[in-house]
Amino acid sequence: MDVTPNHIDKTPVGPPSECHETRGAFATLARSYPRGASLGLHAHQEAQLLFAARGVMQATTTRGRWLVPPHRAVWLPSQRPHAVDMLSDIEMRSLYVDPAHVAAHPKAGRLGNEFVVRVAPLLRELILGCFADRRHPERGVALGRLILFELTEAEDPATFIPMPQDPRARRVAELVLAEPDGIRDLEDLAAVAGTSARTVTRLFSQETSLSFRTWRQRARIMAAIEALCGSSPPPVKDLAHRLGFSSTAAFDYAFKQVTGTTPTAFVGKGGG
């Protein structure tokens, strides 16, 4: 998906009139989406915490792509262009935060960029608690403030893949994401993008802080996570073969390097 500032819809998705509840500094929105639904590139006046209570989605910004399985959420600052794709049936929960409230928060410095967080039990209950009781607005504000504190302690880049900005490297990245099995070698990918393998290697290192080899490995693991979080996850052995790993052991090792756990454990924990 091409995410460029030239195609931004500034109309907020889920404005206050559609929110489950508005609490001054905080507003909530609960929605269900079918697999394949997409929210095109847009930006909100408010900061947004995007959480999948059920299902798997993908959030894309100019910085890269975040895979959002259950037990993960994405923080998006105010006016940050992003798109969201539903990779399965989704129960989406969004918390919108007034930018002035974010700026006044003691952890404001950590909330200026988008990032993924691991939603541990406490953070999950805080998020869901914002949707549960509308009788006491001050309770919602207190929950919202606690959520912001928890976010800054729970950042987890395991499901993030940075995207290079140079058009040649970006083209190579898109080719890899479209074919995560890794059949094409770097020279072939570079030729399709109209450049050299050496240039691609340099650009990936400069623009993603990852070597091309490491970036490609992460892309394969992201594809694995997407498959494992689907409604009918394949056997780990079959998935390893499909993604071009030499063995299940090699796949387990690569998966653990990125996520900190094995594919089997990842599924057992509902996405970490």
Side-chain angles (χ1 to χ4, degrees), residues 19 29 33 87-88 118:
C19 285
L29 176 67
Y33 292 96
L87 305 181
S88 67
R118 182 186 295 270

Side-chain angles (χ1 to χ4, degrees), residues 63 110 114-118 150-157:
R63 285 185 59 206
R110 296 285 301 278
E114 64 267 43
F115 55 87
V116 169
V117 297
R118 182 186 295 270
E150 288 297 306
L151 290 184
T152 61
E153 303 298 326
E155 185 172 354
D156 182 357

Side-chain angles (χ1 to χ4, degrees), residues 39-171:
L39 303 178
L41 193 65
H42 62 283
H44 303 282
Q45 295 293 330
E46 308 87 358
Q48 181 185 19
L49 180 65
L50 190 60
F51 172 58
R54 181 177 67 87
V56 185
M57 56 186 166
Q58 176 180 273
T60 305
T61 73
T62 54
R63 285 185 59 206
R65 296 182 180 184
W66 283 260
L67 197 63
V68 192
H71 298 285
R72 295 291 196 283
V74 177
W75 170 257
L76 297 160
S78 170
Q79 297 288 5
R80 189 59 46 91
H82 60 282
V84 184
D85 297 293
M86 316 307 161
L87 305 181
S88 67
D89 292 344
I90 283 286
E91 293 293 335
M92 184 187 292
R93 300 293 181 268
S94 291
L95 177 68
Y96 297 95
V97 187
D98 183 87
H101 190 82
V102 175
H105 196 272
K107 296 288 188 176
R110 296 285 301 278
L111 298 171
N113 287 310
E114 64 267 43
F115 55 87
V116 169
V117 297
R118 182 186 295 270
V119 181
L122 174 58
L123 182 54
R124 177 182 174 84
E125 292 307 313
L126 288 173
I127 294 171
L128 296 181
C130 290
F131 294 81
D133 187 352
R134 291 178 287 178
R135 293 174 298 174
H136 305 291
E138 66 277 8
R139 176 178 179 271
V141 173
L143 289 175
R145 288 183 58 81
L146 283 173
I147 286 171
L148 295 184
F149 276 109
E150 288 297 306
L151 290 184
T152 61
E153 303 298 326
E155 185 172 354
D156 182 357
T159 61
F160 170 59
I161 184 163
M163 293 292 284
Q165 301 304 306
D166 182 278
R168 296 162 295 178
R170 188 92 175 189
R171 175 60 175 153

